[in-house]
Amino acid sequence: MSTSLEALPLELVASVIDFLAGPRRDPDELAPYATISAKWQQAIEQQTYASLDIKSLDLESFERFVSNSHAHRRAALRTIGFTVVLPAYSDAACACYEKDSDKQLNNEVFSEAIARLFKALEACEDVYKPGPITLRIHESYALSDLRHRGAEKYAADVRAYEVGGREDLWEHRYEHSYLRLLDFGDFPYLGRVNELSVCANGSRSVEPAVAVALATRLPNLATIFWRLNDCESKFTGLRTRLRYDFGQSLQTLDLQSAKSLHLQLLHVPPCDHDFVVADVRGSDAAPCDSLSASLRSFIQGSNLTKITLGGPICLDAGIFRKRQPFWPSVQFVCVDFSTIRPDGAWYFDRDASAPLESPSDESDVSSEPESSSGYDSSDSFFKVDVEVPDTYNERKEERLTATPPSPHRPAAYSTMTATDAGDNARAQGGQKPMLARQRANQEAEAQGKSQPKSGYFPLGYKEGLSQWWAGLSPAVTEHKVLSFIPYLRTPPTHTQTGSDPAGSKMSLDTSSAKEADPVRTTSNTDPYGPRQWNSKLVQLAGKDRFLNEFSVERLGEETENNLVMLHGYGAGLGFYYKNFEGLSRLPHWKLYALDMLGMGRSSRPPFRIHAKDKIGKIREAESWFVDALEQWRIEKGIDKMTLLGHSLGGYMAVCYALKYPGHLNKLILASPVGIPEDPYAVNEDLPEPGDSTMANEFAQSQNEAISGKRPGDQTSLNAGQKAAQNGKQPPRRPTPKWLTTLWDANISPFSVVRLAGPIGPRLVSGWTSRRFGSLPADEAQALHDYSYSLFRQKGSGEYALAYVLAPGAFARSPLIRRIQGVGRQYLEVHSQPEPDAEASSPSHKARETGVPIVMLYGDHDWMDIKGGYASKEKLEEEKEKALANATSREKQLENGSVKVVQIRNAGHHVYLDGSEQFNEEILDEMRDVEKRQKRLAAVK
């Protein structure tokens, strides 16, 4: 009999077992059938182990199961529910609020239990044919909590309480306590978990940021279901901090795999409309609630298609911005708002003429003596760790929160939740999402303007689909661009990174088979040769941190100087293809071009900011790039270099000079971003923001940059210059609405390209067709392909833009405040890219004696050249201060100078628009480095 049953297909056996299990699906009832045959045992085990519900007390058994059981049992796991059991406490402690020591112990137990669960689940990753897992974190509890004491003890405690023989706070003991993860940095990544449920809006709450921390370790998460608490009504500072931390953690969450978000952030508004609710935005001057803005940004940067926000949840208009939200993938939205806004105001005003209802027990309440509980609704933002009193007065509690009296004193309150049925009912009348172009057309029609022309994106849909389907990898497109370098027929291109078109992360293979052999050009084919061209990947310290490097060196000569080139925002080293050959002609120089970390074909580690304050975030974002550059310099064994940076690369070059002084022979800034102090000042000497903002990077064409003509102009002056000469206000340049929307939302424009799928190439063509319009057709096409292949890669370093720059390409920490420190820093590693004390300040520490700085701008550059002249003035003032107190020796070693150069017929991309003059200027500066070295050597 067993032989014939063994011959049945496994799928049929599973169907039979489903029938035998019935609706109860009790594993004990199926156990006898496991002895029929091995196949029946396997089928029963698949059903038995498919869903497990364990407590932290059972973790040891679960750890033995995942480590000792057969792989098919671990592979069968589909759903796991987990409950953390907290330490029990004494009867005497039931009458006291939790102390700091109690909270710390609970946090340690909670953190250890979650960490052990994740490490145990890691063993379920390496199995054959793994299926998705649903992870459900249930509400934590202690055995001494009200609902877990047991029926008999609970009844006895209630009787003792009613006759005055027992003091008990019941669930109020821990109502101001929030469990937190003490350290989740070592948590493993669980690729099988595609659904996360965190239920913590009952009597035992967790900090909302805990749910986000868990999600960061689940890279393939598709469905998110969070039930969290926002009910802290006594300690305003505590509630503000919890909301702020939740929002900040959402900002660092990058889950492109997520499709559905169901967030219930429970907030119970007061029953009395005249009750004054505290402001929890964190600052009275805050334009909008930080949590609302963070939640909006998270949704905008994700691929979510279904969103349900309930509780009811306390948010403000910041969740939708000023106009319609830009949520490109969302198909369904349902929001159940609380009647209270985060600023404490009501969404709807009560009719002042309506009579007020008096509570039935008003006389009893008014005559009640005040308790010593010490509650104060004026608790400030900074009083987060105020000790909660050990006494509780229920009547005063009701007055403070404007809640109705509790019908049963021991179970002092019940939890309110929103039902799914209610959410669905509200969703039926929701408005369907609209395409960006449809919204733009409707806005134009409403304003009586003509609808935007589709010519802004010249690439047709068919051609865009073809390019998207072809999926050219960054390695292929970079190779194509570099093939236009004169005298270099076949450029070297390693395939250790960027060999795949796109994916959840940049492809990385450090094997020697993916390396590229150097290419040498001889004097027979290269009039400036022989030269060696090399492409390689340079490993940095840390996990998955590599820089893509392209270098040119002259053969038969000793390298005495190094020129290092950094590209601008979102670009790659291939953009310098018109400069490599010309700048590598000088003897004894070696040229390096780098893809900045998280951009180009460098590795793309997660870009996360951990600082909480504004300046800390800016400095951390800056250090993310400059620390990588310093590690590269050390890895290459370079003592000093000439550093050239364009746009954002120029900004980071200045930050590098401030943080790592003593390693620059010269600093060259090509149209650097982030210098001006106050771009919105009303001054005739300053251009309108529309003439000097990042918007012009997309609006200005290369033809305009080279010729200086706007469409329809017959003169070499642009519209702004023309108006200024006539004494009129320079007109604002038109800014594309899609660009404004993206920037206002603080999301990367490249994420739109990634989310656009087949439309992505067409979107990119709107920029490349203007940026490279005057180039030969084959070069322009190669640069378009190169740009698109980079833009569609996993987001990483591109997310620094929102931390470093404000809308309009003006720095949040302008360089004009710091650039005077370049060349005047103490000769030591600095913790932050900030200037030291003034050069005139006395000090016994050695400091730099000046670094020559050159700033290049296009004569039609949207980056304001006045920032360069202002920087020159500050640098020269600092030099005068240094020389005023310098010794004769220091004066001899003085090497500081500043030069501002304008490249003819060039826009922001000066190295490309005016490549010939640009190369000549850089070669002159390289020769100047050699002259200065000889002079300083003679002095020393």
Side-chain angles (χ1 to χ4, degrees):
M1 178 66 177
S2 62
T3 302
S4 59
L5 290 176
E6 183 70 18
L8 293 175
L10 185 60
E11 293 79 4
L12 182 57
V13 174
S15 299
V16 174
I17 291 173
D18 281 339
F19 174 77
L20 295 174
R24 293 179 57 189
R25 297 187 178 276
D26 188 350
D28 294 334
E29 294 182 0
L30 294 176
Y33 298 103
T35 60
I36 295 178
S37 68
K39 185 173 292 186
W40 277 66
Q41 178 183 351
Q42 181 180 354
I44 290 174
E45 287 178 346
Q46 286 182 352
Q47 186 173 106
T48 301
Y49 297 122
S51 180
L52 299 179
D53 202 343
I54 63 174
K55 296 180 174 62
S56 57
L57 302 176
D58 308 323
L59 269 174
E60 186 174 351
S61 300
F62 182 68
E63 290 167 340
R64 287 198 302 269
F65 162 73
V66 297
S67 60
N68 299 329
S69 65
H70 293 290
H72 73 271
R73 295 175 180 171
R74 300 195 299 272
L77 186 60
R78 292 294 182 270
T79 303
I80 181 166
F82 185 67
T83 305
V84 178
V85 180
L86 302 173
Y89 45 91
S90 65
D91 279 359
C94 292
C96 304
Y97 282 91
E98 286 188 340
K99 306 296 184 182
D100 288 342
S101 57
D102 299 325
K103 298 176 183 178
Q104 179 65 20
L105 178 60
N106 288 339
N107 290 336
E108 291 174 356
V109 171
F110 179 76
S111 301
E112 181 184 2
I114 299 294
R116 289 178 61 186
L117 172 68
F118 269 60
K119 291 178 181 177
L121 289 176
E122 187 181 20
C124 300
E125 295 286 305
D126 188 16
V127 294
Y128 178 67
K129 292 185 178 180
I133 294 178
T134 297
L135 176 58
R136 296 172 179 166
I137 306 297
H138 301 309
E139 182 181 338
S140 304
Y141 68 88
L143 294 176
S144 306
D145 289 353
L146 172 64
R147 303 176 186 178
H148 300 278
R149 298 181 186 180
E152 292 183 3
K153 178 169 176 53
Y154 170 74
D157 289 347
V158 171
R159 287 194 298 271
Y161 177 87
E162 290 175 344
V163 298
R166 176 185 176 86
E167 293 184 2
D168 205 321
L169 289 178
W170 312 105
E171 291 182 331
H172 294 289
R173 166 179 163 79
Y174 36 82
E175 68 176 335
H176 302 294
S177 302
Y178 297 84
L179 295 170
R180 68 164 60 178
L181 283 177
L182 299 181
D183 183 14
F184 63 93
D186 295 332
F187 280 28
Y189 288 88
L190 306 179
R192 287 185 61 187
V193 177
N194 75 334
E195 180 176 339
L196 173 65
S197 173
V198 178
C199 183
N201 62 351
S203 55
R204 284 279 186 180
S205 301
V206 300
E207 294 189 356
V210 169
V212 183
L214 299 180
T216 61
R217 291 300 188 267
L218 309 176
N220 298 321
L221 198 60
T223 302
I224 303 172
F225 193 99
W226 292 335
R227 289 185 174 181
L228 307 170
N229 245 339
D230 186 28
C231 289
E232 180 59 50
S233 56
K234 297 298 176 295
F235 295 93
T236 306
L238 176 58
R239 183 182 172 213
T240 304
R241 179 182 67 82
L242 293 174
R243 290 172 58 89
Y244 177 81
D245 290 348
F246 185 35
Q248 292 302 300
S249 60
L250 284 172
Q251 292 276 29
T252 63
L253 184 59
D254 183 13
L255 280 179
Q256 298 300 316
S257 59
K259 299 298 181 184
S260 175
L261 170 65
H262 186 106
L263 170 61
Q264 289 190 4
L265 192 61
L266 176 63
H267 175 255
V268 181
C271 295
D272 185 356
H273 195 95
D274 292 328
F275 182 78
V276 179
V277 183
D279 186 341
V280 292
R281 294 174 299 173
S283 171
D284 293 337
C288 66
D289 175 41
S290 61
L291 176 58
S292 302
S294 298
L295 187 58
R296 182 198 69 245
S297 297
F298 166 66
I299 296 173
Q300 289 166 345
S302 69
N303 293 325
L304 291 169
T305 59
K306 181 179 180 180
I307 301 171
T308 303
L309 306 176
I313 189 170
C314 183
L315 299 173
D316 65 9
I319 188 68
F320 297 122
R321 293 298 297 179
K322 297 179 181 179
R323 305 179 189 91
Q324 295 195 24
F326 188 85
W327 294 347
S329 302
V330 175
Q331 301 174 5
F332 173 88
V333 179
C334 178
V335 184
D336 181 11
F337 282 100
S338 170
T339 53
I340 292 289
R341 300 199 306 259
D343 61 359
W346 292 78
Y347 269 112
F348 305 98
D349 293 330
R350 180 182 60 84
D351 185 0
S353 61
L356 293 175
E357 296 183 3
S358 301
S360 57
D361 57 347
E362 178 66 29
S363 58
D364 184 26
V365 172
S366 61
S367 61
E368 181 186 350
E370 288 296 326
S371 134
S372 60
S373 62
Y375 280 131
D376 187 0
S377 60
S378 64
D379 180 39
S380 73
F381 174 64
F382 300 99
K383 297 179 181 178
V384 175
D385 297 321
V386 176
E387 186 70 24
V388 181
D390 280 350
T391 57
Y392 176 77
N393 186 305
E394 188 172 359
R395 292 301 178 91
K396 184 176 182 180
E397 178 83 1
E398 293 161 5
R399 292 203 309 274
L400 288 172
T401 58
T403 54
S406 306
H408 180 52
R409 293 178 67 89
Y413 62 89
S414 60
T415 304
M416 295 178 60
T417 59
T419 64
D420 293 337
D423 291 340
N424 293 333
R426 284 183 293 272
Q428 298 301 320
Q431 184 179 3
K432 295 183 179 180
M434 300 174 59
L435 295 177
R437 179 192 287 184
Q438 292 174 318
R439 290 197 298 269
N441 290 342
Q442 286 192 2
E443 291 176 4
E445 183 179 356
Q447 298 173 7
K449 301 178 181 179
S450 60
Q451 295 183 354
K453 300 179 180 180
S454 60
Y456 197 89
F457 304 108
L459 189 67
Y461 289 101
K462 184 177 180 180
E463 292 81 3
L465 175 61
S466 177
Q467 183 179 358
W468 173 79
W469 183 260
L472 296 178
S473 67
V476 171
T477 57
E478 179 190 282
H479 181 85
K480 179 63 176 178
V481 170
L482 297 181
S483 67
F484 291 104
I485 298 176
Y487 315 118
L488 183 63
R489 299 178 179 178
T490 307
T493 307
H494 73 80
T495 55
Q496 294 176 304
T497 58
S499 58
D500 295 331
S504 59
K505 62 180 181 179
M506 171 78 77
S507 58
L508 179 63
D509 185 353
T510 57
S511 63
S512 58
K514 299 288 187 177
E515 296 178 351
D517 294 329
V519 174
R520 295 185 177 183
T521 55
T522 66
S523 56
N524 294 329
T525 59
D526 182 358
Y528 302 97
R531 289 182 281 194
Q532 179 170 284
W533 314 72
N534 200 6
S535 171
K536 66 185 303 183
L537 195 65
V538 181
Q539 184 172 6
L540 309 178
K543 182 180 179 182
D544 295 339
R545 300 178 79 248
F546 299 82
L547 289 190
N548 183 37
E549 170 197 291
F550 184 79
S551 62
V552 191
E553 60 182 322
R554 303 182 61 80
L555 298 177
E557 300 174 356
E558 182 179 356
T559 300
E560 298 176 355
N561 280 292
N562 300 278
L563 173 65
V564 180
M565 307 172 71
L566 302 178
H567 59 77
Y569 172 70
L573 58 83
F575 279 57
Y576 285 118
Y577 76 102
K578 283 184 173 291
N579 316 112
F580 291 140
E581 191 280 321
L583 298 182
S584 60
R585 297 178 181 180
L586 209 59
H588 306 290
W589 279 78
K590 184 172 183 178
L591 182 150
Y592 293 93
L594 303 176
D595 281 337
M596 290 197 292
L597 186 65
M599 297 184 184
R601 281 211 300 142
S602 292
S603 63
R604 300 193 171 216
F607 182 85
R608 297 189 176 96
I609 296 296
H610 302 286
K612 300 298 183 183
D613 61 298
K614 176 183 176 181
I615 295 298
K617 291 179 181 179
I618 298 171
R619 298 294 180 259
E620 189 175 347
E622 294 168 347
S623 296
W624 198 79
F625 293 99
V626 301
D627 290 351
L629 177 59
E630 173 64 4
Q631 290 181 27
W632 173 86
R633 183 195 65 81
I634 296 173
E635 184 70 23
K636 303 301 292 186
I638 298 174
D639 181 29
K640 285 197 171 185
M641 57 188 174
T642 297
L643 185 59
L644 185 158
H646 170 252
S647 193
L648 183 65
Y651 180 101
M652 294 303 169
V654 173
C655 293
Y656 176 85
L658 293 172
K659 187 170 184 179
Y660 296 103
H663 298 297
L664 296 185
N665 288 320
K666 179 171 286 191
L667 180 62
I668 305 176
L669 307 177
S671 189
V673 74
I675 288 182
E677 168 70 28
D678 185 9
Y680 298 105
V682 181
N683 193 314
E684 292 182 356
D685 296 329
L686 290 176
E688 276 290 304
D691 288 329
S692 183
T693 65
M694 184 71 85
N696 286 5
E697 173 66 5
F698 297 86
Q700 183 185 42
S701 70
Q702 189 179 33
N703 290 327
E704 296 169 8
I706 293 176
S707 66
K709 296 180 181 180
R710 298 284 297 160
D713 287 347
Q714 301 299 322
T715 175
S716 60
L717 297 174
N718 66 21
Q721 294 170 321
K722 197 173 182 180
Q725 288 187 352
N726 295 332
K728 299 179 181 179
Q729 185 72 9
R732 287 180 177 267
R733 295 287 306 278
T735 302
K737 290 186 178 180
W738 61 270
L739 176 62
T740 304
T741 304
L742 285 175
W743 199 303
D744 287 344
N746 283 334
I747 66 173
S748 162
F750 308 132
S751 63
V752 178
V753 174
R754 290 189 287 269
L755 296 173
I759 306 177
R762 189 167 188 267
L763 297 179
V764 175
S765 72
W767 176 68
T768 57
S769 63
R770 289 160 174 76
R771 182 60 264 155
F772 313 124
S774 66
L775 294 174
D778 53 349
E779 294 184 31
Q781 182 62 48
L783 286 170
H784 167 79
D785 294 341
Y786 180 54
S787 301
Y788 175 63
S789 68
L790 295 182
F791 294 172
R792 70 182 301 193
Q793 297 301 305
K794 174 191 175 184
S796 179
E798 67 194 61
Y799 297 127
L801 190 68
Y803 294 94
V804 174
L805 303 180
F810 296 107
R812 299 186 187 277
S813 179
L815 293 180
I816 195 64
R817 302 177 184 175
R818 298 182 281 165
I819 199 169
Q820 73 277 3
V822 175
R824 307 295 171 184
Q825 299 286 83
Y826 294 120
L827 290 173
E828 59 188 13
V829 176
H830 293 60
S831 60
Q832 302 288 351
E834 297 177 345
D836 289 329
E838 291 185 354
S840 58
S841 302
S843 175
H844 299 292
K845 295 191 294 185
R847 71 191 308 163
E848 295 174 292
T849 54
V851 170
I853 301 175
V854 180
M855 310 180 77
L856 302 100
Y857 293 83
D859 58 351
H860 303 293
D861 200 333
W862 58 262
M863 200 66 69
D864 191 5
I865 194 174
K866 294 182 177 64
Y869 288 120
S871 299
K872 179 181 179 181
E873 182 178 350
K874 292 201 68 173
L875 285 160
E876 290 177 342
E877 290 176 358
E878 194 69 15
K879 180 180 178 179
E880 292 178 2
K881 294 177 183 177
L883 292 176
N885 299 319
T887 63
S888 58
R889 172 78 172 170
E890 290 173 337
K891 291 180 180 178
Q892 289 179 322
L893 295 174
E894 175 58 36
N895 196 36
S897 66
V898 193
K899 182 192 295 186
V900 180
V901 179
Q902 199 167 58
I903 304 298
R904 297 182 302 275
N905 300 325
H908 179 54
H909 295 260
V910 291
Y911 58 92
L912 189 61
D913 299 336
S915 57
E916 293 184 4
Q917 183 188 353
F918 180 89
N919 290 344
E920 292 174 0
E921 294 287 348
I922 300 303
L923 285 173
D924 287 342
E925 298 305 326
M926 294 164 68
R927 296 186 186 99
D928 179 69
V929 169
E930 296 175 341
K931 295 178 182 178
R932 290 171 180 268
Q933 288 175 334
K934 292 179 181 179
R935 181 185 66 82
L936 293 175
V939 173
K940 294 180 180 179

